[in-house]
Amino acid sequence: MASQAATETIRYPPGMDARSTRVAERLNAPMMVAAALTIPMVAISESHPGGALEDVARILNWITWIAFAVELVVMLAVVPNRRLWLRHNPLDLVIVLFTPPV
């Protein structure tokens, strides 16, 4: 039984290996926080409060956009097959390229 477990191959997501999988797992929590920050940012921006709240929304927008950009750069740096990884994670690139901060 133990020898069977030792001979089984580990499957990683497309374009990834053990190292990039570990990095992606470490980035999960910060990226969830960044994604959650978009909710108050949109709510504040759409209410057009002016003043300090408008500045808070702008700062949250920049923080989330930078977080998504950093995630993309880090993942492209650690995955062994960038083209395959991007083919299976196109939203990461779309978010960074087509939703710049306001």
Side-chain angles (χ1 to χ4, degrees), residues 5-50:
T7 59
E8 289 183 23
T9 59
I10 298 172
R11 298 213 176 244
Y12 298 107
M16 296 177 70
D17 60 3
R19 177 180 175 226
S20 57
T21 302
R22 283 192 309 272
V23 170
E25 289 172 356
R26 284 188 171 185
L27 288 174
N28 276 342
M31 296 314 299
M32 291 298 285
V33 171
L37 285 175
T38 61
I39 296 168
M41 183 268 301
V42 169
I44 294 169
S45 294
E46 291 302 314
S47 66
H48 303 290

Side-chain angles (χ1 to χ4, degrees), residues 63-86:
I63 289 170
T64 57
W65 188 84
I66 290 169
F68 289 126
V70 167
E71 180 200 27
L72 177 66
V73 169
V74 168
M75 290 308 296
L76 287 175
V78 298
V79 295
N81 188 335
R82 292 180 185 125
R83 184 170 289 165
L84 183 61
W85 184 82
L86 276 173

